[in-house]
Amino acid sequence: MNIVLLFSHTLTDPQIKELTTDFMCENIIYMPQDIKSIWQNITDSTSSDIFEQFLLENLKENDYVLIQGDWGMTYKMINFAKDHKFIPIFSRTTRNVKEYTDGAKVLKTSIFEHIGFRKY
């Protein structure tokens, strides 16, 4: 079982453990940096073709794809994944936010903690 990450971040150890044990993923496939850079900077003119091609080259039916990012592109890729019988999932997290005031500036730190993966 493979999983492709359409995801801007590097997986944490708990996420890797869940994917390899609970989801039985033997191969975790990150996007190459050039494709990842496009995923991180989606614009109105960004085509989904490069992401679709990447999925088709790396997945087979019933493989997983972790999809999180720009709302519109995420929606498009979830539908593409389902149309090709891939299983789209997302990561659920808790967020602990701390806010500090430094004169005229407000500083905010967000700490995310993985809860689990869920199918779209």
Side-chain angles (χ1 to χ4, degrees), residues 100-107:
Y100 308 92
T101 303
D102 180 13
K105 297 178 185 176
V106 176
L107 307 171

Side-chain angles (χ1 to χ4, degrees), residues 1-73:
M1 185 83 52
N2 292 332
I3 182 166
V4 164
L5 308 180
L6 294 183
F7 183 70
S8 296
H9 309 288
T10 302
L11 294 176
T12 63
D13 289 340
Q15 289 174 315
I16 292 169
K17 182 178 180 186
E18 182 178 354
L19 289 173
T20 56
T21 58
D22 299 351
F23 287 80
M24 307 302 288
C25 293
E26 297 166 356
N27 298 308
I28 298 172
I29 303 165
Y30 284 88
M31 291 180 282
Q33 189 55 50
D34 59 331
I35 298 175
K36 184 177 179 179
S37 180
I38 296 168
W39 185 259
Q40 292 172 322
N41 297 287
I42 300 291
T43 67
D44 291 343
S45 63
T46 303
S47 169
S48 62
D49 292 348
I50 194 166
F51 310 118
E52 293 169 0
Q53 188 63 37
F54 187 68
L55 294 185
L56 292 172
E57 290 172 358
N58 289 284
L59 298 176
K60 60 187 181 312
E61 189 173 317
N62 294 317
D63 278 343
Y64 291 97
V65 55
L66 173 60
I67 308 173
Q68 286 184 234
D70 172 84
W71 289 95
M73 188 63 75

